[in-house]
Amino acid sequence: MPASPLAPAWLEPPADPNALAAGVWPASTVRDADGALRIAGIAAPELARTYGTPVLIIDEQEVRRRAASAVRAFEDAASRHGTQARVYYAGKAFLSTEIARWVTAEGMRVDVCTGGELAVALAAGVRPGLIGFHGNNKSVAELEDAVAAGVGAIVLDSDIELERLAAITARADRTQSVLVRVNSDVHAETHHFLATAHEDQKFGFALEDAERIVARIRSVPTLAFAGLHCHIGSQIFGTAGFHESAARLLAVHERLLAGGEVPLLNLGGGFGIAYTSADQATPLEELAEGIVEVVADECAARGIPIPVVAFEPGRSIVGTAGVTLYEIGTLKDVTVETDAAPAVRRYVSVDGGMSDNARPALYDAQFSARLAARRGAGDPQLVRVVGRHCESGDVVVDAEYLPSDLAPGDLLAVPATGAYCQPLSSNYNHVPRPPVVAVRDGAARVIVRGESIADLLARDAGLDHTEGDR
């Protein structure tokens, strides 16, 4: 079948529009004899009947497997080069008490960036010493809570924050370990909103300011300088950006050794995953070995000890574990003029949208989709899956080939929604946020409750919530 002239160049018409692309779905996902998707042994139609749609399904074993693999990959690479590794789960990807328990049980630490995320990690029972605290505008109250809890490290992001923390630790008479976030000026090959190490953005210090900041930290008796931190962006394939960033940080690291110990080098995360069949994610084992090898080589060339290395994967742990189920509501064929000839794009509307997945609207993110309750028939047809919101940018899947016999009421599954979907969810158009359901070994359970219209109305202070109290 020829490609639609409306399809992006990377999207090829599939031989079978029911086939599941490798690496995009949880490893447990299969089609059963009835054509329904099964995730961790549970049929998608059963999940939809029990929990409604939309619903975010998280494969617990997929999260645990990826967490354990990440820890093993970085620790093994570090050991081969004579050092140690610390592997943090980047909670911003998706944090709940259950997920925090899963990843820490598999050997990960937890990275948070707000007081709310810190509260979730602590409520989950994460040991405070295993928590790192990021953020460009941590409030005095948040810093006080972090110091009181005894978090393992606070990542300093500005002069003001440094002075705030110095005053807080002095009042509390407690020593706090800190890292200094710096911008390596290495531009990740990603959407510009996801690139976080260039000079013109809100995070971190310029590299040339690092020595001044560290000198100030070392002058404060209640602050303990642990090392440098850098994050070059998100959804990154390959290691070239990490290599260059590590080299630049180690040049500063070497100079800082003249004034005292620099035990740790945190190179962040941002490792990409496959969202579509066109994506080829770099295996974590390859990333770990490549990045740690560069650190070791740079240190050897400079004649300095190899520091402990730290990393913060988030998306690569939880992203592929998530699948969102929707119900199709309406279908609409739109004729579009092209240079060759008019072409038809089918708009498929589902019962969720940008309120449960804001990534396409924010980052032009690409996703894929498949029928979830049956095998479709007919030739592959180009579709655009859109949400129910009153917004033209409310796109769930920009371009995909699905069977031509799609119909209202069909169940649609969108994979790779485990990261940055639930955390970015909203109540736009007063749509309740969906539940998150964990599946494992044929059993399912809610780990984040969904909302109802009553929940939304309960927050409206214009209503009288004291019935009969007039």
Side-chain angles (χ1 to χ4, degrees), residues 158-243:
S158 66
D159 289 272
I160 290 174
E161 187 170 88
L162 192 165
E163 298 306 327
R164 283 177 179 169
L165 189 59
I168 290 166
T169 53
R171 287 196 303 270
D173 192 25
R174 300 185 70 163
T175 300
Q176 176 63 56
S177 177
V178 298
L179 296 171
V180 174
R181 178 160 180 170
V182 293
N183 297 323
S184 63
D185 201 22
V186 172
H187 293 235
E189 296 174 1
T190 184
H191 189 285
H192 66 279
F193 285 172
L194 300 177
T196 57
H198 55 81
E199 68 284 352
D200 189 13
Q201 51 95 26
K202 70 178 185 175
F203 293 109
F205 296 94
L207 269 178
E208 55 266 27
D209 290 333
E211 291 168 84
R212 173 183 63 83
I213 297 299
V214 173
R216 172 60 181 139
I217 292 169
R218 285 170 167 165
S219 74
V220 179
T222 51
L223 297 181
F225 174 61
L228 299 177
H229 177 282
C230 183
H231 184 70
I232 65 172
S234 295
Q235 186 56 5
I236 303 166
F237 296 145
T239 60
F242 293 103
H243 291 182

Side-chain angles (χ1 to χ4, degrees), residues 6-7 332-336 343-347 381-384 398-399:
L6 299 176
K332 183 186 300 183
D333 288 343
V334 175
T335 301
V336 181
V344 173
R345 190 196 311 275
R346 172 161 289 184
Y347 278 81
Q381 180 172 12
L382 183 72
V383 306
R384 176 171 287 166
D398 182 65

Side-chain angles (χ1 to χ4, degrees), residues 53-260:
T53 57
V55 58
L56 174 56
I57 308 301
I58 297 286
D59 186 328
E60 178 182 346
Q61 286 295 77
E62 184 81 13
V63 175
R64 287 179 175 271
R65 179 183 66 81
R66 287 174 173 266
S69 295
V71 172
R72 185 168 57 251
F74 286 106
E75 287 186 346
D76 287 353
S79 178
R80 283 192 293 273
H81 293 283
T83 188
Q84 296 177 322
R86 298 177 184 176
V87 187
Y88 291 80
Y89 171 69
K92 65 178 182 175
F94 176 24
L95 189 64
S96 72
T97 54
E98 277 291 89
I99 287 178
R101 293 178 187 125
W102 299 347
V103 297
T104 52
E106 303 302 331
M108 298 190 82
R109 300 166 182 247
V110 177
D111 164 61
V112 302
C113 59
T114 67
E117 289 183 353
L118 174 61
V120 171
L122 293 173
V126 179
R127 286 165 43 200
L130 300 180
I131 297 174
F133 194 0
H134 280 281
N136 68 297
N137 187 27
K138 297 183 280 292
S139 69
V140 170
E142 287 175 323
L143 290 170
E144 287 174 338
D145 288 345
V147 171
V151 300
I154 292 176
V155 183
L156 295 175
D157 199 87
S158 66
D159 289 272
I160 290 174
E161 187 170 88
L162 192 165
E163 298 306 327
R164 283 177 179 169
L165 189 59
I168 290 166
T169 53
R171 287 196 303 270
D173 192 25
R174 300 185 70 163
T175 300
Q176 176 63 56
S177 177
V178 298
L179 296 171
V180 174
R181 178 160 180 170
V182 293
N183 297 323
S184 63
D185 201 22
V186 172
H187 293 235
E189 296 174 1
T190 184
H191 189 285
H192 66 279
F193 285 172
L194 300 177
T196 57
H198 55 81
E199 68 284 352
D200 189 13
Q201 51 95 26
K202 70 178 185 175
F203 293 109
F205 296 94
L207 269 178
E208 55 266 27
D209 290 333
E211 291 168 84
R212 173 183 63 83
I213 297 299
V214 173
R216 172 60 181 139
I217 292 169
R218 285 170 167 165
S219 74
V220 179
T222 51
L223 297 181
F225 174 61
L228 299 177
H229 177 282
C230 183
H231 184 70
I232 65 172
S234 295
Q235 186 56 5
I236 303 166
F237 296 145
T239 60
F242 293 103
H243 291 182
E244 180 61 27
S245 185
R248 295 185 186 189
L249 263 65
L250 283 166
V252 179
H253 178 103
E254 180 184 13
R255 295 196 296 271
L256 292 173
L257 286 170

